[in-house]
Structures are given as structure tokens and as C-alpha cells.
Amino acid sequence: MGQKLTVMLSTEGTYPFYQGGVSTWCDILVRKLSNIDYVLYSVITDPYVLPKFKIPKHALLKSMPLWGTEEPCEHLDIPFSQVYLAKKRTTPKVIQEQFIPLFTTLVEELIGLDRNPQELAQVMHALYRYFQEYEYKESFKSELTWDVYKRIVMSAPSLPAPDLYGMIQSLGWIFRFFNLLNNPVPKAHVSHSSAAAFCGIPCVLAKLEHGTPILLTEHGVYLREQYLSLAKRGLSSFLNTFLVRLISSIVTLNYAYADQVSPVCQYNTRWETRLGVEADKIKVIYNGVDDKIFLPSPSPGNAHPTVVTVARIDPNKDILTLIRSAMLVKQRIPNVKYVIHGSVAVPDYYEECVKLRDQLGLEATVIFAGHTQDMAGAYRSGDVVVLSSISEAFPYAVVEAMMTARPVVATNVGGISEALGDTGYIVTPRDAEALAEQTALLLQDAELRRTLGKAARARAMSFLTLDKVLEQHMKSYIQLSVQSDMAMRESAASVHVVDRQRIYVQQGYTLKSQGYYPEAVTQFRAAVQMLPGAASTPALLAEISECLSHMGRPDAARMELERMRMLAELYGFKIVS
């Protein structure tokens, strides 16, 4: 990879190893922002899973498996001799004097009633430094560690009394999750965490170790999702309380250390504000889709009125309510067809859905079509698109359907109402009758479908295009890198110079967003001249070129890049035209 602005994108259980909305978002971001060097730090559970997405040349993948390995260092590309010597150095005396005090503070912070993210971050950083010299497993598996852990847990305030299994299991979770502290964090100009989750830990470490600013994106609300998940797991009172406190500690840590928190909808900001995120740190960046792929098309002219759902088969998508609503619609429109495009995420739930469908006599009405590569074609094949979820953030399924000019009926969860506005119908989750009523209304009125579909496309083009998403992320990367750029620190730039460049960048983006392209060019050029060796320089040059193109001066845009090329090459930057 060239010497460009570098972003560490940290993910958890998603890109590039698993399909889904977050993975799609990551893939678009990494592929389209080709003038950024990405380091993909992927937290996964299974070390043997293969990537589902092709990694572009300007990205480097570093996977971090938490389970499935006997030795915590198996995933690290280090010689055996180094591991062996670390084990030899990790003596009982070292564990007692150096590890135990840090381990004690870590556990007390994780399970205490009060959250202190600064204290938690500092002890994690100290443990990160400790594991650079001493061995992870030797430290955790010591009898000294077990004895201390038992004492802490047994005396923890308001923590239910554990049994032996609970103590072993909970310590095992700490051992697995915090193997992240055993993994070197790469240097980057910006860290970008895709959730307020454990994948945010390497971002916090990078901030403490290298001064790297953090962008935190929230597609859902991680804490809320974990609460819902825990309610279904049937854990003991001790383990349930333990996990709630552990997850709360990690979420609070993410929020405290993020320099910018960017949820994908306004709906999520209510949780973030309640959990202590300062309002001026929150900048919503909506999901967007490629309007050149998700093109509108005339009515498909189906022989059977057709309802399309694009969603994985998962309890959160509430396919059971969708099936019940299909039965009600069929009573009014006997030849209706429901086609569900999506992979099976939870096999037991899929079997439950098939069983309900068959019990209701809908074998020929409700079709499970599986995953499709032609998403745009799937939406265009339907007369109406329906989403019956009980939990969402800002789902691509709604935005993609809008972009293809298909009318949407969806549940009022997450940011769906923000996306649809008045161009579709919103119903209460789990209300099969309301879902059926609005779906049938659209199926029986072709002119209403056409009008709403056209309005949906126009709304998506105004607010939810891929270009807008990419521009806002590039802007965020540049503004954050200005705050703490490696090149700035190396050149010992004064605080005054850094502040002035930040002002020029902000003014440039404000003017560009209002269509004042000549004035924006002036501001971006001033920012480049303040610190020509900053890692943000190539991206700012790209902004100048884009503004000149908007001004109808393509030759000037090319000349501008050529004029600046020598300056960029002087500092070792690679310019992407």
C-alpha cells in the first residue's frame, strides 16, 4: 500500500467474513474510497471461516479470532522462539507483582456498579504493554489469577452469588474477549470502529498508544441488541448480570473515547445521548445506495400481484408475522404471491417459518427464494416491498427498494420512518393485520403504487445516495486526521498551524455542500498549503479536483492534480485521480 491517509476499520462478526447490512456497508466504503489505505481489523469467533468479500488491493486484512484456538498467540505472525521466551519470562513472581494488580483493576472495573471508562482504558493499555513482553495464557491460567478472581467475584457488590460453573465461565469470557489486548494495534491516521462493541478496544488502544483519533459508526444500538439477546439465552442470574456489566463497560468505553460518533439514523441518537455521548460529537451519516445500480423500472406486469421481502431468515426480521399477514392478504387477493429473498441465518427459526406457512396452507403463496446476487432485480420483480422487522437501524432493504421506485410497507422500528418519510406506509411491529391492510391497499391500487414509488425514488436521490455517504465519510476521515496526523507530529507542527488547517478544511466542506465551488477550492488549497506533508493532502487534492469538475472545468481539474503531483511526490504520497 502507498503512503496515503490510512484508516484502521475495526469490525466484529461482520465484514469481510459474514454477509449482512453492516458487511455491505463496509465493503462499499473500502472499495469506493480507493484513495484511502485501509487496515481491516476483523474480530471473529472462528479462525477457520473464509472471507465472503474480495479484499481490494489498497486494504490489508488482520483477523483476530477470539475462539477456536488453543493458544492465544496462534493468529499472530511471530516466531515460536519469541512465544517461548515470553513464556519463560512469565514467572510466578512476574504474575504476582505485575499482572495481578492490573488484572484486579480490570475485573473490578468490568463488574463494578459504576462505570469509569478512563480507568478501564488505562488498565487495558497497561495490560497491552504487559503482553508485549509476557505471555497471555501463562498469566491468565495461573492459580494466583484464579484465586484473586474468586475473591473479587465473591465480594462484588450487588452481584448474585456465583456457582463454580459461573465463575469458570465468566473468567473464560474475560480470557477470550480480552485476547484483543494481546494483539498489536497498527498505526493509522484514523481508527474507525463499526460498533460500540469489543471491536472498539483496538481503537481505544491505538488512541492511547499512537494518539489516533476514533470515528465510531453505529448501525444498530449495540447495548440494546445485547440486552435483547441476553433475554433469550437462559443464563444464570450471576452470568446474566456479569455479561450486562461487562458489555455496559465496553459500550461506555467506546463512547468516552470516540472523537466522532456517527449513527446511521437520528433514532439511535436517543440512546447515545442517554448513555453520555456529548451532542457535539454526534454526526448522523445515513446509509445510502448506488443509484446507478438500483435503477427504477416500470411495473413488472406480474400475472400474480407480488410482494417482495429482502431479509435474512432471522427472528429480528419477524418472518412469522409476515407469513400471518400473507394469509390475511390472500383472503382479499387470492392469487397474491410473497417472495422472500434472504439466506437462512437461524435454521431453527427457518423451520418454524416453514411449519407455519404449511399450517396456514400457503405453500404455493409464500416462497423462500434464498439469497440473491441481483438485489436490484429482486426489488423490481415485486409490486410492493414489505419489511416486517422488530429491530432495525437504517436498513438497506428500505433504501434500496425506494431507489428502485417500489412502494414500501415497513414496521416502525429504528430509522425506517426517517428513510421513508411520507413515501410509504409504517405499521406497528408484530401487527399482522395492519401489515396486511396496508399491503393489500397498495396491491389493489396501481396508481397509488406508481405515485408512492416515484416519490420514494425522489426522496432517496435527495438524501440517500452512495455518493453522499462516501463524501461524508471522507470528510470525517480528513477532519479527524487533521486533529492528530502522524505527519503533523513528525514535523512538530504548531498547534496554531493545525488549528488553522482545521478551520480551512471545515470551511471548504461547508462551502462545497452549498455549491460554492470556487470558494471551496480556495479553502482546500489554503489547507494544503498550511501542511503539505499531512496525510490528508491527497484527499484534499481530490476534493479540489472534484470542485473544479463541478465548475465545468475538467481540464483545470486535471491540471490542478498535475500541478500538485510534484508536491505530493515530494512527501511520498500516492495521488489517485
Side-chain angles (χ1 to χ4, degrees):
M1 296 190 291
Q3 295 181 23
K4 299 181 290 183
L5 194 152
T6 302
V7 174
M8 179 178 73
L9 177 59
S10 187
T11 66
E12 182 175 320
T14 54
Y15 183 78
F17 294 99
Y18 301 93
Q19 301 281 358
V22 176
S23 294
T24 298
W25 167 83
C26 289
D27 184 53
I28 290 171
L29 204 63
V30 172
R31 283 189 298 103
K32 294 292 186 178
L33 293 183
S34 57
N35 54 341
I36 299 290
D37 274 343
Y38 277 97
V39 179
L40 308 175
Y41 190 114
S42 182
V43 180
I44 53 178
T45 56
D46 182 357
Y48 305 108
V49 66
L50 297 176
K52 297 293 191 299
F53 295 84
K54 184 178 179 180
I55 308 299
K57 292 181 180 179
H58 61 277
L60 176 66
L61 176 61
K62 293 181 178 291
S63 59
M64 177 63 210
L66 301 183
W67 271 265
T69 58
E70 179 63 28
E71 295 293 332
C73 60
E74 283 182 28
H75 64 285
L76 299 177
D77 186 20
I78 57 177
F80 170 77
S81 59
Q82 185 174 330
V83 177
Y84 177 78
L85 291 174
K87 284 180 177 287
K88 295 290 287 182
R89 286 194 295 268
T90 312
T91 63
K93 185 174 186 293
V94 166
I95 294 172
Q96 179 68 61
E97 295 180 357
Q98 297 190 47
F99 177 71
I100 292 299
L102 297 175
F103 174 76
T104 300
T105 302
L106 175 69
V107 175
E108 290 175 346
E109 287 299 323
L110 292 176
I111 67 175
L113 285 172
D114 299 322
R115 306 271 78 83
N116 187 336
Q118 287 73 28
E119 183 72 18
L120 179 58
Q122 292 300 325
V123 73
M124 288 197 310
H125 188 215
L127 283 165
Y128 172 78
R129 293 280 185 89
Y130 170 88
F131 292 128
Q132 290 178 359
E133 185 172 358
Y134 301 109
E135 212 274 328
Y136 188 88
K137 186 177 179 180
E138 287 291 314
S139 301
F140 266 98
K141 297 296 184 177
S142 167
E143 288 189 18
L144 291 169
T145 303
W146 171 245
D147 290 341
V148 168
Y149 184 71
K150 285 191 296 183
R151 175 180 56 77
I152 297 172
V153 169
M154 295 297 290
S155 60
S158 304
L159 194 64
D163 56 12
L164 180 60
Y165 170 79
M167 284 193 291
I168 294 173
Q169 181 66 48
S170 58
L171 181 57
W173 284 334
I174 294 176
F175 174 74
R176 290 296 180 180
F177 285 125
F178 287 91
N179 194 18
L180 291 164
L181 305 180
N182 195 36
N183 202 42
V185 291
K187 284 188 176 181
H189 299 99
V190 177
S191 292
H192 186 174
S193 180
S194 61
F198 289 94
C199 61
I201 290 177
C203 299
V204 174
L205 291 175
K207 187 168 189 174
L208 295 174
E209 186 75 5
H210 307 304
T212 311
I214 300 173
L215 169 62
L216 169 61
T217 297
E218 288 222 278
H219 298 267
V221 179
Y222 184 78
L223 186 61
R224 175 179 179 272
E225 292 169 353
Q226 294 304 310
Y227 283 164
L228 292 172
S229 174
L230 285 173
K232 304 172 186 176
R233 295 179 64 173
L235 297 172
S236 68
S237 179
F238 166 76
L239 287 176
N240 194 73
T241 304
F242 177 90
L243 271 181
V244 166
R245 295 188 186 180
L246 170 64
I247 292 166
S248 296
S249 296
I250 297 304
V251 170
T252 305
L253 176 78
N254 276 271
Y255 287 154
Y257 278 84
D259 296 275
Q260 177 178 322
V261 178
S262 288
V264 296
C265 57
Q266 289 288 345
Y267 175 83
N268 287 359
T269 64
R270 295 182 296 177
W271 281 79
E272 293 158 349
T273 303
R274 189 181 307 159
L275 293 169
V277 182
E278 298 169 6
D280 61 354
K281 286 172 57 173
I282 300 175
K283 297 180 182 179
V284 175
I285 302 179
Y286 288 115
N287 284 338
V289 300
D290 193 336
D291 57 283
K292 299 175 184 64
I293 293 177
F294 291 90
L295 294 167
S297 68
S299 172
N302 293 316
H304 301 270
T306 302
V307 175
V308 165
T309 291
V310 178
R312 66 185 183 275
I313 312 305
D314 179 289
N316 279 340
K317 303 302 180 181
D318 196 12
I319 306 300
L320 292 174
T321 293
L322 179 69
I323 294 170
R324 294 187 184 100
S325 75
M327 179 192 68
L328 298 174
V329 172
K330 185 176 174 64
Q331 292 171 0
R332 297 167 61 173
I333 309 173
N335 63 337
V336 70
K337 293 286 185 183
Y338 277 69
V339 183
I340 303 171
H341 296 276
S343 57
V344 176
V346 182
D348 289 346
Y349 184 72
Y350 170 69
E351 294 300 328
E352 188 179 353
C353 292
V354 172
K355 182 179 178 181
L356 177 64
R357 179 196 67 176
D358 296 349
Q359 286 176 346
L360 297 177
L362 299 176
E363 297 94 326
T365 300
V366 177
I367 300 166
F368 290 96
H371 178 71
T372 178
Q373 295 293 334
D374 183 13
M375 305 292 283
Y379 295 112
R380 289 195 291 262
S381 70
D383 298 292
V384 176
V385 174
V386 174
L387 191 67
S388 54
S389 303
I390 59 173
S391 178
E392 288 286 357
F394 198 78
Y396 278 103
V398 170
V399 181
E400 290 166 349
M402 293 171 65
M403 198 64 82
T404 56
R406 288 299 179 265
V408 175
V409 181
T411 46
N412 190 15
V413 294
I416 289 179
S417 62
E418 295 175 47
L420 277 177
D422 58 0
T423 70
Y425 291 123
I426 297 293
V427 301
T428 303
R430 300 189 191 279
D431 189 339
E433 292 185 1
L435 196 64
E437 179 66 29
Q438 300 301 333
T439 303
L441 175 65
L442 284 170
L443 289 174
Q444 293 172 322
D445 191 333
E447 180 59 26
L448 179 60
R449 293 199 304 271
R450 188 192 69 79
T451 301
L452 285 180
K454 184 178 179 180
R457 167 79 180 182
R459 180 175 176 83
M461 288 296 293
S462 296
F463 302 107
L464 307 171
T465 63
L466 179 59
D467 288 343
K468 292 184 184 298
V469 174
L470 296 175
E471 180 178 340
Q472 289 180 79
H473 279 93
M474 177 61 81
K475 176 182 177 180
S476 297
Y477 289 156
I478 292 174
Q479 290 183 332
L480 288 170
S481 70
V482 166
Q483 294 179 24
S484 184
D485 187 284
M486 289 192 291
M488 292 177 187
R489 296 200 303 274
E490 289 165 4
S491 62
S494 69
V495 173
H496 171 73
V497 172
V498 174
D499 286 343
R500 288 298 304 165
Q501 193 199 41
R502 185 184 301 117
I503 291 170
Y504 286 136
V505 169
Q506 291 173 343
Q507 291 175 343
Y509 274 112
T510 300
L511 290 165
K512 182 185 175 187
S513 68
Q514 299 297 318
Y516 297 109
Y517 298 116
E519 294 85 353
V521 167
T522 300
Q523 297 299 318
F524 286 137
R525 280 179 176 163
V528 169
Q529 291 167 2
M530 292 296 293
L531 282 167
S536 57
T537 294
L540 290 172
L541 297 179
E543 297 294 340
I544 293 171
S545 179
E546 184 180 337
C547 287
L548 290 169
S549 295
H550 280 299
M551 293 160 59
R553 300 173 58 193
D555 291 339
R558 286 192 292 271
M559 289 178 63
E560 181 70 23
L561 282 180
E562 189 59 36
R563 189 178 73 83
M564 290 288 189
R565 195 178 301 276
M566 292 180 62
L567 173 65
E569 289 176 353
L570 176 65
Y571 292 96
F573 293 128
K574 178 181 177 183
I575 303 300
V576 179
S577 302

